[in-house]
Amino acid sequence: MKKTLILVVIVLLVSSAAFAKIAGSKHDLTSSVYYTSTAAKSACQFCHTPHHAAAGVAAPLWNRANSTATYALYASNSGGNTLSGSTIAQPGANSMTCLSCHDGTMNLGDVLNGPSDTITATNTLVISAGKLVGGGGYIGTDLTTTHPIGVVYDTAKTKAGLNSTIAADGSTINNKNWRIYGGGNATGRVECGSCHDPHMTDAGKTPFLKDTLNSICTDCHSNK
């Protein structure tokens, strides 16, 4: 009983801390400053649900279906590789949760548990039929001009000049908050969540970044 109570308290504290950063940010789809939503949902419910969550999804208690889009991938040449020769795969599970809103193929207001609705923009986004189709935050399905995701982080690729201080579980890079997913060095992949955290602040020119613009490149790339 005591262990259960402690676990519940921890979950509530973590949830409260996360909501405190979501509320009023551009990830708060209940905020009339940026969006108009007619359904009675909390800011958290657009992504998470305590019941009937999506199965087999990387994010906890996920309340959305994943996009089924196929993405055009970053390539430094016609072979579909990075400059260091690492092959890029389709985005992994930790990126697909982000892309379910940001690739513009799904209605922002569609949830698995709770009332769905069609969101309209009142600020900088361009939304059509409830889907994000332009403006800030829109990525689309063409990833050829973004930082590569779905690519293995491998310090053996010397041309990349990558830092090698990665925990065994891939949870940190250069002793910071950056993450690689699905393994450690030479197996784990860079995904959206490697650099971005939807629960961080969107202030200034650092949209949900885990660290400052001054270090976002050099924390991973030692020769930048």
Side-chain angles (χ1 to χ4, degrees):
M1 178 67 181
K2 185 180 290 186
K3 289 182 179 179
T4 302
L5 180 59
I6 292 172
L7 179 59
V8 169
V9 170
I10 291 173
V11 169
L12 288 174
L13 288 174
V14 171
S15 299
S16 297
F19 174 74
K21 293 185 177 181
I22 288 290
S25 77
K26 291 178 182 176
H27 277 153
D28 181 0
L29 296 182
T30 67
S31 173
S32 60
V33 175
Y34 300 106
Y35 322 103
T36 298
S37 174
T38 58
K41 290 196 290 287
S42 70
C44 299
Q45 196 175 1
F46 281 97
C47 291
H48 301 285
T49 177
H51 304 288
H52 309 295
V57 178
L61 300 175
W62 194 242
N63 199 25
R64 300 180 59 82
N66 272 350
S67 172
T68 59
T70 298
Y71 301 91
L73 302 176
Y74 172 94
S76 62
N77 54 53
S78 59
N81 300 325
T82 64
L83 288 171
S84 64
S86 297
T87 301
I88 301 171
Q90 286 288 313
N94 295 88
S95 293
M96 293 304 296
T97 51
C98 304
L99 290 167
S100 68
C101 282
H102 290 280
D103 73 1
T105 66
M106 301 178 67
N107 191 324
L108 298 176
D110 280 349
V111 294
L112 301 178
N113 183 30
S116 293
D117 66 322
T118 299
I119 294 173
T120 58
T122 60
N123 198 285
T124 59
L125 298 185
V126 181
I127 296 176
S128 176
K131 299 176 182 179
L132 184 63
V133 296
Y138 174 69
I139 297 173
T141 58
D142 184 353
L143 306 182
T144 57
T145 60
T146 69
H147 186 286
I149 56 176
V151 60
V152 172
Y153 191 96
D154 188 355
T155 56
K157 304 284 188 179
T158 55
K159 189 174 182 180
L162 297 174
N163 290 306
S164 59
T165 51
I166 302 173
D169 63 355
S171 61
T172 60
I173 297 173
N174 202 22
N175 300 316
K176 292 293 183 71
N177 295 321
W178 316 122
R179 286 194 62 183
I180 55 177
Y181 293 88
N185 186 42
T187 57
R189 295 182 179 274
V190 175
E191 301 291 352
C192 296
S194 296
C195 298
H196 300 275
D197 182 343
H199 304 109
M200 300 294 284
T201 179
D202 62 347
K205 295 183 179 180
T206 58
F208 305 99
L209 292 178
K210 294 183 176 182
D211 211 335
T212 66
L213 284 174
N214 291 333
S215 65
I216 188 172
C217 296
T218 55
D219 277 351
C220 294
H221 296 274
S222 57
N223 60 358
K224 292 293 184 182

